[in-house]
């Protein structure tokens, strides 16, 4: 979904098992950027590569209701936060309610860089790696009435924390 003025609505839709480009990059379940808008209700984003749902750049908005983002995997040869359920970055906004974000091989929710905003109300985040929720470099994160549980350590990054926030590069979560 690309460019300001573009609006996509999804209802009861499944996005499953996307694969990366030959270079090994991308394979995102859903990518919304450059000021576009996505509204999704009752959707499942399952088993995609690198990112389940990505919102990128100022003016981009994603609204998700009663949806599942699960089992995001890293591209071959990559590890760490590159298998994230939801990412809001570079000024984009993601607003979710009633979400189930689980069993991703990276962070459940990631908001990074100034102006980015990720809002999650009555969401369940469980079984994600490194951290359930991460906010970095001046991004905003709002969690209300939600559960963050069963976060595991990442073999590459450590962690195993529910919520991790940092302002500067090089900051690492506490060793548990």
């Amino acid at each position: 979904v690309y460019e300001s003025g573009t609006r996509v609505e999804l209802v009861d839709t499944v996005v499953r098992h996307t694969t990366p480009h030959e270079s090994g990059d991308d394979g995102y379940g859903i990518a919304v950027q450059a000021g576009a808008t996505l509204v999704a209700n009752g959707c499942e984003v399952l088993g995609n590569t690198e990112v389940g749902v990505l919102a990128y750049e100022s003016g981009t908005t994603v609204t998700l209701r009663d949806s599942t983002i699960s089992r995001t995997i890293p591209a071959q040869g990559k590890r760490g936060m590159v298998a994230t359920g939801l990412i809001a970055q570079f000024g984009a906004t993601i607003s979710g309610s009633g979400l189930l974000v689980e069993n991703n091989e990276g962070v459940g929710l990631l908001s990074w860089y100034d102006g980015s905003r990720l809002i999650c109300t009555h969401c369940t985040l469980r079984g994600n790696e490194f951290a359930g929720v991460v906010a970095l470099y001046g991004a905003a994160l709002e969690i209300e009435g939600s559960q963050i549980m069963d976060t595991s350590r990442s073999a590459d990054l450590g962690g195993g924390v529910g919520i991790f926030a940092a302002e500067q590069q090089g900051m690492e979560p506490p060793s548990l």
Side-chain angles (χ1 to χ4, degrees):
V1 182
Y2 185 79
E3 203 165 294
S4 181
T6 303
R7 179 180 169 89
V8 172
E9 293 187 34
L10 303 174
V11 177
D12 300 329
T13 301
V14 177
V15 178
R16 179 179 293 155
H17 300 295
T18 56
T19 57
H21 186 271
E22 290 174 5
S23 68
D25 293 321
D26 303 327
Y28 308 153
I30 299 171
V32 183
Q33 58 188 357
T37 299
L38 170 76
V39 176
N41 295 296
C43 293
E44 295 181 348
V45 182
L46 308 170
N48 296 291
T49 305
E50 289 197 359
V51 181
V53 178
L54 170 68
Y56 183 85
E57 296 178 324
S58 294
T60 301
T61 60
V62 171
T63 303
L64 303 165
R65 291 184 198 94
D66 302 320
S67 295
T68 298
I69 297 87
S70 181
R71 299 186 313 272
T72 308
I73 60 172
Q76 188 172 7
K78 294 187 178 181
R79 295 288 310 150
M81 287 193 283
V82 295
T84 301
L86 299 167
I87 298 177
Q89 66 183 15
F90 301 119
T93 299
I94 295 177
S95 179
S97 63
L99 302 181
L100 173 60
V101 182
E102 67 175 352
N103 301 323
N104 295 290
E105 291 185 33
V107 174
L109 308 177
L110 172 61
S111 183
W112 64 332
Y113 292 102
D114 287 332
S116 300
R117 192 168 173 214
L118 207 154
I119 305 156
C120 207
T121 306
H122 304 292
C123 297
T124 299
L125 294 94
R126 72 172 167 234
N128 298 297
E129 281 188 20
F130 178 73
V133 177
V134 173
L136 299 172
Y137 318 126
L141 182 61
E142 300 170 34
I143 308 290
E144 180 182 336
S146 297
Q147 297 181 42
I148 303 167
M149 62 185 110
D150 302 325
T151 303
S152 63
R153 291 179 58 84
S154 165
D156 299 314
L157 298 173
V161 297
I163 300 170
F164 176 68
E167 179 60 31
Q168 299 176 2
Q169 290 184 349
M171 299 282 299
E172 296 184 15
S175 182
L176 301 176

